[in-house]
Amino acid sequence: QFNIESNQPVISNLEAQKSPLRARYQQTIDELKRREGVEKQQTSTALSREFGRRGIPLSSGLFDESLLEKYRPTSEFYSGQLTGAQTGMEEGLLGLDKIIAMLQSGNPSESLQAALSLLSLQEQSRQSGIQNQLELRKFLQPNPLQSAQAAYYNALASGKVGQQTNDPLGLFG
């Protein structure tokens, strides 16, 4: 009984950490959903302009197919990020519940194990956050190959490719 009472301040502290943990993950999830929506809107706008410039109606099945193809990498990336964030939140909350249960048991050896589990949980959360940030940075960096391909296709669409010029791809003007 003494161990349970002496653990009560720690238990209360851990209980109080649940709400901020949930809020941080929810904020991350909401931001990921917002970014996905923005990227898809930008993709849709760019593709509809390209189709319009070429005289292809947006009502054609080709537009829908092209749009889905363009959405695929964005959807896959954000789906993975959202799943990771949701899993991280669930694991974090489950870990806190497990530690609280161990502390409430009053067994000193389990209380020590709970403290070690808490440290491990915090480290895992930190590592997961770092990994997510690295993945996000990698995804958001411009891809030079895609930029060159886009410039080529724009030049092709404007009829600049194939003309006698010092700039055969039409990249400089």
Side-chain angles (χ1 to χ4, degrees):
Q1 185 66 24
F2 174 74
N3 286 331
I4 295 173
E5 289 174 13
S6 65
N7 287 338
Q8 196 56 45
V10 175
I11 292 170
S12 297
N13 187 7
L14 291 172
E15 286 286 351
Q17 289 182 20
K18 285 182 179 181
S19 182
L21 176 70
R22 203 176 278 117
R24 281 193 310 267
Y25 274 104
Q26 191 58 51
Q27 183 181 12
T28 301
I29 289 168
D30 292 344
E31 178 63 15
L32 287 169
K33 287 179 180 178
R34 184 193 70 76
R35 286 183 183 186
E36 180 181 19
V38 167
E39 287 185 34
K40 284 185 172 182
Q41 182 60 44
Q42 290 171 343
T43 299
S44 177
T45 301
L47 191 61
S48 64
R49 284 182 183 154
E50 182 65 26
F51 271 59
R53 190 170 42 233
R54 294 179 183 204
I56 302 170
L58 299 182
S59 60
S60 72
L62 180 61
F63 176 75
D64 291 336
E65 289 175 28
S66 298
L67 194 57
L68 287 175
E69 187 64 32
K70 295 271 188 189
Y71 280 174
R72 183 173 293 127
T74 302
S75 295
E76 287 175 0
F77 172 78
Y78 282 105
S79 174
Q81 292 296 310
L82 286 168
T83 299
Q86 290 165 339
T87 301
M89 180 172 63
E90 291 168 6
E91 287 175 352
L93 292 172
L94 184 63
L96 285 174
D97 286 340
K98 183 178 177 183
I99 292 166
I100 290 167
M102 288 179 180
L103 289 170
Q104 288 174 336
S105 73
N107 186 336
S109 65
E110 287 184 10
S111 295
L112 178 60
Q113 182 62 36
L116 293 174
S117 294
L118 177 60
L119 288 174
S120 174
L121 178 67
Q122 289 173 339
E123 179 60 20
Q124 286 174 357
S125 176
R126 188 181 73 78
Q127 290 292 331
S128 177
I130 290 170
Q131 186 63 34
N132 285 341
Q133 287 299 317
L134 289 173
E135 288 294 321
L136 188 58
R137 280 189 189 148
K138 187 182 347 175
F139 180 75
L140 295 177
Q141 287 179 347
N143 182 334
L145 178 60
Q146 287 177 338
S147 298
Q149 286 175 334
Y152 174 75
Y153 290 129
N154 286 337
L156 186 63
S158 67
K160 291 183 180 177
V161 174
Q163 296 176 356
Q164 278 299 72
T165 178
N166 291 333
D167 183 17
L169 294 180
L171 299 176
F172 301 105

